[in-house]
Amino acid sequence: MQDNVSKLIKVCNKLYDKQLASGKSGNVSIRLDDYIAITPTLKAINGLNEDDIVLVDMNSNTLTKGNPSSEAGMHLAIYKKRSDVNAIIHTHSPYTTGFAFSNKKIKRLEGFGQIKNPYIASIEYEEPGSEELALKASEAIEKEDVLILKNHGVICVGDDLDEAESLAIFIEESAKTQFVSYMLNSVKDIE
């Protein structure tokens, strides 16, 4: 377990360093048999130590000291729906979240598996940490690997932390590329 928690902390630091999470936003979890290890609430995800990580069983009971992320219910709901998911990353990365606050969708780009749907799936806004958000997110991501939360952020899931992290980085880069494309296409050429 200690190796898994160390890996979780390392991924959190990388997400923060890549500016996919800032301030005290974002949360990361991994499945460990019948419980999850998740980042704490109201703490920045960079600079965490092993004592900061909170263990929670599948019935939402906290098994260690500290308070789990306010999004722990959403993480648990996804794990219950998806036996193939062993890691979840939820960020408020700037470009992806910018799309989440707009009426534009993020196109799926080549580079992370087969394109089954032309756009990244999204759900309408629900209050962060709410049961409604947990329910809607777990249902919408049932056959997806990424989910945009309108006016909120993004969820990436994977078989392991490396896959979820790669996907979080890829989606932000996709959003950045599409943002630049929209800007360039909206400006008339000066001759």
Side-chain angles (χ1 to χ4, degrees), residues 22-35:
S22 61
K24 296 178 181 179
S25 72
N27 39 76
V28 179
S29 71
I30 52 174
R31 185 195 309 254
L32 300 168
D33 297 320
D34 295 332
Y35 56 95

Side-chain angles (χ1 to χ4, degrees), residues 15-65:
L15 293 170
Y16 197 90
D17 290 345
K18 289 186 175 291
Q19 299 179 340
L20 299 183
S22 61
K24 296 178 181 179
S25 72
N27 39 76
V28 179
S29 71
I30 52 174
R31 185 195 309 254
L32 300 168
D33 297 320
D34 295 332
Y35 56 95
I36 66 168
I38 190 166
T39 51
T41 193
L42 299 176
K43 279 195 174 186
I45 65 170
N46 72 320
L48 296 172
N49 61 55
E50 289 182 13
D51 291 340
D52 293 320
I53 304 304
V54 182
L55 301 182
V56 180
D57 71 17
M58 292 304 195
N59 295 315
S60 301
N61 298 308
T62 303
L63 305 174
T64 56
K65 68 176 182 138

